Amino acid sequence: MRSGAEVIELSSDDDDEPVPSTTALARRAPSSPPDVKPRLLADADVKPLLLHPPGYGALVPVKTEEPVPVPVATASPPPRALPPPRVCRQFWKSGDYVVARRNPDADAPGGRNRLRINPKFLHSNATSHKWAFGAIAELLDNAIDEVNNGATFVRVNKFTNPRDGNPSLLIQDDGGGMDPEALRRCMSFGFSDKQSDAFIGQYGNGFKTSTMRLGADVIVFTQNQNNGVPTRSIGLLSYTFLMETGCDDVLVPSVDYQYDLTTASYIQMLRHDQKLFSSNLRILLKWSPFASEAELLKQFDDMGEHGTKIIVFNLWFNDDGDMELDFNSDEKDILITGAHKKVKTNKLEKIATQNYISTRLRYSLRAYASILYLHVPDNFRIVLRGCDVEPHNIVNDLMYRECVLYKPQIAGLAESSVITTIGFVKGAPDIDVQGFNVYHKNRLISPFWKVANNSYGKGRGVVGILEANFIKPTHDKQDFEKSALYHRLEIRLKEMTYEYWGLHCHRVGYDNKSLSKATRALNRANHMNAGSSPISAPPRLLAADIPTSSCGIPRLSASAAREKINSLGSHSNSKMGLKRKFDSYAMTDNADHDGQNHTDGVDVSQRKRFSEYRTLILENDKLRNECLQYEESEKQLVMKEQKLRSEIAEANKKYQELLKELGSLDVKEEKS
């Protein structure tokens, strides 16, 4: 058997498998640990898996041997820290890669006909992710896709590297897992068997780009029972290993185990021979966070019968030299370092904007994960740092909601319909938020996409939600391909924003010039009575106006008020020039051409109806104020309860301390 790295020959007439030399692997390798021979990589038959695109052939087994039982795990030696890697820890500066030497077998027969992927491609491929959370979302997508295989949770947590004590990122699910061949396909480029609409992933590139964007190295543990025989597989994709050894191919060492019924334990599964297995295992133990085979196998203890665990280590630093992911500022969250610093201000509108989810999702993984999926599958949990992520439905943040049907014109395809829910975000216009949250196959692609840009505030506070499956997302799933359909959607959403604004902006305190003069005068009077500035949204104005049929205000009062005010007339739509018409909730503009209102012509019955309408408004205000008072009382009672519980806890603690102190006293009884 010739030594060398196993490769796939793409076009050669020779029957013999071309096996290039791996002398380069040992030329730049750092000093080996004491129990590993310095010439390990040069002398051993090092045959880690070569990453290759699908369809270029299968691995040819060299020789078949009986499985070798895994030796009984003994006490693990203390982990030895690796020497500091020469790879730059800042992601955007770590692309420099120098091959130790040109592979001497490149000129061998068939050598030039073999596809070669330089390890630098791992870094350049990962630059498609501009945002660390976008990379984490790719791994969450893979877990969500495993719902089809019975997955019930995905766990995201901090993992401490036992070699150096540095934090790493752990992502684990209880899906179906992968058999040995599936793991190799996962760690190959461009392979994907997710062709159904039920899957989010489709390109077969997300695992490589996401893990290499988060850190320099990743190790995968997966357990599978699909073929009747339970298997366990471990694979390592290490940019550090490739750079330190000067590889000129992307090599992925992996080992497999299968369950043996006779011994009721997992034994080594030899795809080729024992020498290859041992060589790959030694590479794993040298370049992974685990220094012994027992430590590797211990990672399966909390995985149940099936599932996958991914550990990304040697996480990247930002340009300031700090770790990009912040595990320390919030013990129940993962933050982007430096991005969560809030501007100190006393302005309530800025504070509200900073606290809203549109701002928090930029630096908080918990906030981003809460809106990442339009509908989280039933009985599925996203567990972040030990606490479940509660789904946040942005529709519930909206007031005066409307549903707008949009039918994109798709040439050659059946006509599809998209329903967009649009409304003012609660607290508008004090909260400076606007835009559309566009999903694709249940996955958020563009959060708060701002299609309307107006310095004078038109569109401020208008937020929408839609699922656009008719356009394709980019590879990093953070934007859409700029196709003709995309541009038409952008134009329609902009029109939708302006239409909604023209219909409802007076509800949040703006002077809507599209309304009749009588209605505008009434709105201004309500503003003055409420004593608020025109840019603020006074509660009385919000309560006084008559909501549409889709708003969250009680239907009975709204319908009664609508019936009364509609008898006064309907809107004139001749001046609108919009695709949708006004609802007939506003008073008719009875002004003549010279701008004078003929209010003298209003009869007694109309005055009576208007008086009843004002009575409903006042009653609504009264009930709203009572509700606010009850809510405030509830908050005070809750605070009082918490204070009392805290005092009880302090008293119990003091009591326990006194008991302990009493027990430690040596009390002697005196004899009389």
Side-chain angles (χ1 to χ4, degrees), residues 372-386:
L372 185 59
Y373 302 103
L374 191 59
H375 305 289
V376 177
D378 295 336
N379 302 320
F380 187 85
R381 302 159 53 213
I382 300 176
V383 184
L384 176 59
R385 309 277 317 255

Side-chain angles (χ1 to χ4, degrees), residues 185-465:
R185 293 198 301 264
C186 170
M187 305 183 87
S188 299
F189 287 100
F191 182 89
S192 176
D193 55 3
K194 300 177 181 180
Q195 303 301 328
S196 170
D197 290 339
F199 295 101
I200 300 173
Q202 55 181 318
Y203 296 115
N205 200 33
F207 173 80
K208 279 75 66 176
T209 60
S210 58
T211 53
M212 293 294 97
R213 172 61 184 85
L214 295 168
D217 312 287
V218 58
I219 187 169
V220 181
F221 302 86
T222 185
Q223 185 162 292
N224 176 271
Q225 295 190 16
N226 287 348
N227 299 323
V229 179
T231 60
R232 291 175 172 177
S233 299
I234 307 171
L236 176 69
L237 181 59
S238 173
Y239 189 61
T240 304
F241 158 64
L242 298 172
M243 174 167 279
E244 290 293 316
T245 56
C247 293
D248 60 354
D249 276 342
V250 178
L251 305 175
V252 180
S254 62
V255 293
D256 307 303
Y257 301 85
Q258 64 182 8
Y259 189 76
D260 183 38
L261 294 175
T262 58
T263 61
S265 62
Y266 281 88
I267 60 176
Q268 296 177 354
M269 180 178 177
L270 304 181
R271 293 173 58 87
H272 296 285
D273 56 16
Q274 180 64 39
K275 197 173 185 180
L276 172 62
F277 184 98
S278 300
S279 175
N280 284 342
L281 179 60
R282 282 194 290 268
I283 297 175
L284 282 168
L285 299 183
K286 183 173 183 179
W287 296 98
S288 78
F290 310 100
S292 68
E293 187 177 26
E295 291 181 27
L296 285 173
L297 296 176
K298 187 175 179 60
Q299 294 303 310
F300 291 97
D301 291 350
D302 63 345
M303 293 179 59
E305 296 180 350
H306 47 78
T308 301
K309 179 188 291 186
I310 298 170
I311 299 176
V312 184
F313 56 103
N314 287 331
L315 299 176
W316 297 117
F317 290 0
N318 59 22
D319 291 339
D320 295 329
D322 300 319
M323 187 168 290
E324 192 172 14
L325 297 180
D326 179 6
F327 296 92
N328 300 324
S329 297
D330 190 337
E331 62 181 9
K332 295 183 179 180
D333 201 354
I334 299 176
L335 308 179
I336 298 292
T337 300
H340 59 282
K341 295 180 180 178
K342 296 183 178 180
V343 178
K344 294 183 179 180
T345 179
N346 294 327
K347 295 183 178 181
L348 296 179
E349 59 270 17
K350 289 188 177 181
I351 295 175
T353 302
Q354 289 181 357
N355 292 332
Y356 189 58
I357 194 167
S358 63
T359 302
R360 292 189 291 112
L361 68 86
R362 306 297 176 183
Y363 61 83
S364 167
L365 182 60
R366 181 170 294 275
Y368 180 56
S370 69
I371 66 171
L372 185 59
Y373 302 103
L374 191 59
H375 305 289
V376 177
D378 295 336
N379 302 320
F380 187 85
R381 302 159 53 213
I382 300 176
V383 184
L384 176 59
R385 309 277 317 255
C387 297
D388 285 13
V389 174
E390 296 296 334
H392 184 102
N393 192 343
I394 299 176
V395 172
N396 296 330
D397 294 345
L398 305 183
M399 53 187 181
Y400 311 122
R401 297 193 295 266
E402 285 191 0
C403 293
V404 182
L405 182 65
Y406 170 55
K407 294 184 177 181
Q409 301 297 322
I410 305 176
L413 298 177
E415 187 180 65
S416 61
S417 299
V418 178
I419 297 178
T420 301
T421 304
I422 188 172
F424 275 112
V425 67
K426 293 178 181 177
D430 290 339
I431 297 181
D432 187 11
V433 174
Q434 71 180 83
F436 289 83
N437 293 271
V438 188
Y439 290 78
H440 178 82
K441 292 184 179 179
N442 194 47
R443 158 75 140 79
L444 179 64
I445 304 298
S446 296
F448 296 93
W449 178 20
K450 193 174 181 179
V451 296
N453 297 307
N454 290 287
S455 58
Y456 51 88
K458 189 175 182 180
R460 179 183 173 116
V462 178
V463 172
I465 303 96

Side-chain angles (χ1 to χ4, degrees), residues 410-645:
I410 305 176
L413 298 177
E415 187 180 65
S416 61
S417 299
V418 178
I419 297 178
T420 301
T421 304
I422 188 172
F424 275 112
V425 67
K426 293 178 181 177
D430 290 339
I431 297 181
D432 187 11
V433 174
Q434 71 180 83
F436 289 83
N437 293 271
V438 188
Y439 290 78
H440 178 82
K441 292 184 179 179
N442 194 47
R443 158 75 140 79
L444 179 64
I445 304 298
S446 296
F448 296 93
W449 178 20
K450 193 174 181 179
V451 296
N453 297 307
N454 290 287
S455 58
Y456 51 88
K458 189 175 182 180
R460 179 183 173 116
V462 178
V463 172
I465 303 96
L466 70 152
E467 186 175 19
N469 294 334
F470 59 91
I471 51 179
K472 291 185 177 181
T474 55
H475 283 263
D476 63 349
K477 297 188 181 74
Q478 296 300 306
D479 201 353
F480 288 101
E481 296 178 357
K482 302 303 187 287
S483 62
L485 283 173
Y486 170 87
H487 291 298
R488 286 204 292 268
L489 175 64
E490 182 179 17
I491 293 172
R492 183 65 191 103
L493 294 180
K494 185 176 181 179
E495 293 173 346
M496 202 179 296
T497 301
Y498 291 157
E499 290 169 7
Y500 182 86
W501 176 266
L503 288 169
H504 304 289
C505 67
H506 62 283
R507 298 174 181 272
V508 293
Y510 287 98
D511 184 18
N512 190 348
K513 297 181 180 180
S514 301
L515 297 178
S516 64
K517 294 183 179 180
T519 305
R520 292 170 61 190
L522 177 61
N523 290 335
R524 285 194 295 269
N526 289 332
H527 271 286
M528 295 178 64
N529 293 334
S532 63
S533 61
I535 199 171
S536 179
R540 177 167 297 186
L541 176 61
L542 297 178
D545 208 347
I546 302 173
T548 59
S549 60
S550 59
C551 76
I553 298 178
R555 299 289 179 95
L556 181 61
S557 299
S559 60
R562 181 187 293 274
E563 181 181 357
K564 294 180 180 298
I565 198 64
N566 281 350
S567 63
L568 298 178
S570 62
H571 252 304
S572 173
N573 301 313
S574 59
K575 299 180 181 180
M576 290 303 299
L578 299 178
K579 294 186 178 181
R580 291 187 292 132
K581 297 182 179 181
F582 278 108
D583 291 334
S584 56
Y585 58 79
M587 293 189 301
T588 303
D589 186 1
N590 293 320
D592 58 10
H593 294 290
D594 59 3
Q596 300 295 325
N597 290 332
H598 296 274
T599 56
D600 295 338
V602 181
D603 57 17
V604 177
S605 61
Q606 289 176 330
R607 291 179 182 275
K608 183 178 179 180
R609 292 190 184 97
F610 186 74
S611 177
E612 292 176 356
Y613 165 61
R614 294 292 298 172
T615 302
L616 288 173
I617 292 174
L618 295 175
E619 184 67 21
N620 198 3
D621 285 344
K622 180 180 177 181
L623 294 175
R624 187 183 294 273
N625 290 333
E626 291 179 0
C627 182
L628 292 175
Q629 291 176 3
Y630 286 134
E631 290 178 355
E632 186 64 27
S633 299
E634 181 186 11
K635 291 180 181 178
Q636 293 178 359
L637 290 174
V638 169
M639 293 176 62
K640 186 175 181 180
E641 178 191 9
Q642 293 177 348
K643 183 179 179 181
L644 291 174
R645 290 183 182 275

Side-chain angles (χ1 to χ4, degrees), residues 5-250:
E6 184 175 19
V7 298
I8 304 301
E9 183 179 2
L10 300 184
S11 57
S12 175
D13 296 331
D14 300 333
D15 294 332
D16 295 334
E17 179 186 26
V19 183
S21 173
T22 55
T23 308
L25 297 181
R27 288 179 62 87
R28 294 178 54 192
S31 57
S32 302
D35 60 340
V36 180
K37 295 181 180 180
R39 298 181 58 196
L40 169 64
L41 295 178
D43 297 339
D45 186 16
V46 181
K47 298 180 67 177
L49 173 69
L50 172 67
L51 281 184
H52 57 87
Y56 289 143
L59 298 176
V60 181
V62 177
K63 148 175 158 180
T64 303
E65 295 185 6
E66 294 298 326
V68 178
V70 175
V72 179
T74 58
S76 302
R80 296 174 298 278
L82 292 173
R86 288 190 289 269
V87 59
C88 178
R89 292 298 302 277
Q90 295 176 344
F91 174 73
W92 298 106
K93 300 179 181 178
S94 60
D96 295 336
Y97 188 92
V98 178
V99 177
R101 56 169 293 182
R102 187 172 181 272
N103 195 312
D105 289 334
D107 296 327
R112 292 182 178 178
N113 295 325
R114 178 168 57 85
L115 177 68
R116 310 180 67 83
I117 301 179
N118 191 286
K120 186 176 180 179
F121 178 71
L122 287 177
H123 179 269
S124 59
N125 191 40
T127 57
S128 61
H129 284 290
K130 303 297 187 294
W131 190 36
F133 285 173
I136 296 178
E138 284 275 9
L139 301 176
L140 295 180
D141 291 344
N142 291 340
I144 289 285
D145 285 341
E146 283 298 305
V147 170
N148 300 287
N149 295 321
T152 62
F153 73 86
V154 58
R155 183 161 61 98
V156 183
N157 211 338
K158 172 185 175 182
F159 177 84
T160 302
N161 190 329
R163 286 191 185 271
D164 52 23
N166 289 330
S168 305
L169 181 67
L170 180 145
I171 298 179
Q172 178 181 348
D173 66 69
D174 64 339
M178 294 177 282
D179 59 26
E181 189 61 31
L183 175 64
R184 284 156 176 78
R185 293 198 301 264
C186 170
M187 305 183 87
S188 299
F189 287 100
F191 182 89
S192 176
D193 55 3
K194 300 177 181 180
Q195 303 301 328
S196 170
D197 290 339
F199 295 101
I200 300 173
Q202 55 181 318
Y203 296 115
N205 200 33
F207 173 80
K208 279 75 66 176
T209 60
S210 58
T211 53
M212 293 294 97
R213 172 61 184 85
L214 295 168
D217 312 287
V218 58
I219 187 169
V220 181
F221 302 86
T222 185
Q223 185 162 292
N224 176 271
Q225 295 190 16
N226 287 348
N227 299 323
V229 179
T231 60
R232 291 175 172 177
S233 299
I234 307 171
L236 176 69
L237 181 59
S238 173
Y239 189 61
T240 304
F241 158 64
L242 298 172
M243 174 167 279
E244 290 293 316
T245 56
C247 293
D248 60 354
D249 276 342
V250 178

